[in-house]
Amino acid sequence: MDYRTPPGLEKPWTISLAQLRSFEAVERLGGVGRAAEALHLAQPTVSTQLRELAQGLGLTLFEPQGRGLVPTPAGRRLAQTVRELGACWQQFEDDVAALQGLRQGRLRIAAVTTTEYFLPDLLGPFARAYPGIAIELAVENRDAVVARLERGDDELAAMMLPPAHLPLARWPFLENPLVLIAPADHRLAKRRRLQLADLVAEPLLVREAGSGTRVVTEQAFAEHGIQWPARMALGSNEAIKHAVRAGLGLAVLSRHTLAADPASEGLVVLPVQGFPLRRQWQLVWRQDRALSLPARTLLDDLRSRLGSAPQPA
Ligand code: PGA
């Protein structure tokens, strides 16, 4: 423990901030009368403050010139120091106001369903650091998140396929590999290498219309020139996993929906050429709206922990 008073604070100060403020006004405006008017003080009050300040410091701060006052070199140096103190104090007040702004409030975030497997973990440190900020996480499929962005319901959205028709700032923050899954005991599970064409006889399970996962899946098949119509559409990633495990078909899902060891869930990732499909999770926000302090603070927190480059999944 250092018991010494920091340099500059060890002298018992006999001068006051009110004196310094009056002094600065006299130096800037060139006379006691004008300073008194600007500060809404009586002229004798300012004169007394100036005299006491000069005595307290043991310095001559002004010299009379004509009907006004001009600062001595020591007076000019003091005026500069007072302005620096003012800037420092302003910074303190801004910082405190910012801390108050984070003491309570609300932060609305929209997230596509697949991000529910990792987003709460990413929000954890921010949520613990600012317990007064209520986080509302709306988890919906892609089309619903786009509608929320159009209405401006949320400040931030986490998604894979941001819409092009809105003025959005985008920050890709995580890789999103999409894999082709089968039940762990599937006859093709032992194969070292597969082509999409090997699979098209199998029933295909897809997410509901409006899902970004479904859009990317259909795009990938079209790029490979593969016709693989869906046998069944299911409304959630978990429903698809259960259906695949039950042997109802194969599906393309984000790797994030699976356990570290998919076998523990009765599933297997098939080694299909062209897979995983490499996409990215992005955080987006409307450029035509100002972000609140909680939203900016969360972005700073994530950037400092994840870096600006996408992380490997
Ligand atoms: P979704 O998520 O399939 O749950 O819509 C993926 C996305 O759209 O980013």
Side-chain angles (χ1 to χ4, degrees):
M1 182 84 71
D2 190 347
Y3 290 102
R4 280 166 308 172
T5 304
L9 293 179
E10 67 277 84
K11 299 188 195 95
W13 282 27
T14 54
I15 57 175
S16 71
L17 287 174
Q19 290 167 354
L20 289 175
R21 191 181 53 167
S22 288
F23 161 78
E24 190 280 333
V26 173
E27 195 270 347
R28 183 162 40 87
L29 299 170
V32 172
R34 272 175 255 166
E37 200 182 326
L39 296 173
H40 305 292
L41 292 174
Q43 211 162 310
T45 307
V46 175
S47 299
T48 307
Q49 286 175 333
L50 275 193
R51 197 178 54 247
E52 288 175 356
L53 177 64
Q55 280 168 359
L57 294 172
L59 291 171
T60 301
L61 299 171
F62 291 107
E63 283 162 354
Q65 190 180 76
R67 299 178 61 206
L69 292 172
V70 290
T72 61
R76 273 201 297 280
R77 186 69 190 85
L78 178 61
Q80 185 191 348
T81 304
V82 174
R83 286 193 273 273
E84 284 167 10
L85 281 175
C88 194
W89 190 261
Q90 183 64 54
Q91 184 65 54
F92 160 72
E93 289 193 341
D94 290 352
D95 290 350
V96 169
L99 288 173
Q100 308 274 12
L102 288 167
R103 194 165 291 165
Q104 55 183 349
R106 194 169 51 165
L107 179 54
R108 286 183 161 155
I109 305 172
V112 292
T113 52
T114 309
T115 61
E116 71 188 349
Y117 293 88
F118 60 86
L119 205 55
D121 278 344
L122 288 184
L123 297 178
F126 175 87
R128 282 189 288 276
Y130 304 104
I133 303 291
I135 300 175
E136 289 178 19
L137 190 65
V139 181
E140 315 234 27
N141 73 14
R142 181 196 179 254
D143 279 7
V145 168
V146 172
R148 296 184 70 96
L149 277 170
E150 280 168 353
R151 291 193 301 264
D153 287 353
D154 314 278
E155 289 207 73
L156 301 172
M159 62 199 313
M160 168 169 59
L161 302 172
H165 68 283
L166 291 174
L168 296 176
R170 300 153 179 239
W171 176 45
F173 66 97
L174 198 66
E175 302 283 357
N176 178 22
L178 290 104
V179 293
L180 228 156
I181 59 167
D185 57 0
H186 194 275
R187 64 183 176 86
L188 295 172
K190 297 250 153 28
R191 294 267 293 271
R192 305 263 306 271
R193 198 154 193 190
L194 291 161
Q195 307 290 328
L196 265 181
D198 300 331
L199 306 175
V200 292
E202 304 285 326
L204 174 68
L205 312 181
V206 293
R207 284 279 307 278
E208 77 285 3
S211 148
T213 303
R214 175 158 163 176
V215 170
V216 170
T217 305
E218 288 170 349
Q219 280 172 352
F221 293 164
E223 276 163 26
H224 284 82
I226 292 285
Q227 298 269 346
W228 192 0
R231 170 77 57 84
M232 199 190 276
L234 296 101
S236 75
N237 293 313
E238 286 300 309
I240 292 205
K241 283 166 60 179
H242 284 286
V244 171
R245 187 163 51 230
L248 300 186
L250 311 184
V252 176
L253 285 185
S254 166
R255 180 67 182 80
H256 291 293
T257 65
L258 305 175
D261 177 13
S264 67
E265 300 181 287
L267 298 169
V268 65
V269 173
L270 294 178
V272 182
Q273 198 179 5
F275 282 76
L277 307 173
R278 299 203 174 276
R279 300 293 186 275
Q280 286 177 339
W281 295 118
Q282 310 197 31
L283 268 175
V284 303
W285 57 96
R286 288 187 60 140
Q287 274 172 321
D288 54 345
R289 311 223 169 157
L291 282 179
S292 69
L293 182 65
R296 279 184 277 129
T297 306
L298 172 63
L299 279 174
D300 287 347
D301 171 67
L302 291 174
R303 282 196 177 112
S304 69
R305 284 188 293 118
L306 298 175
S308 49
Q311 305 295 297

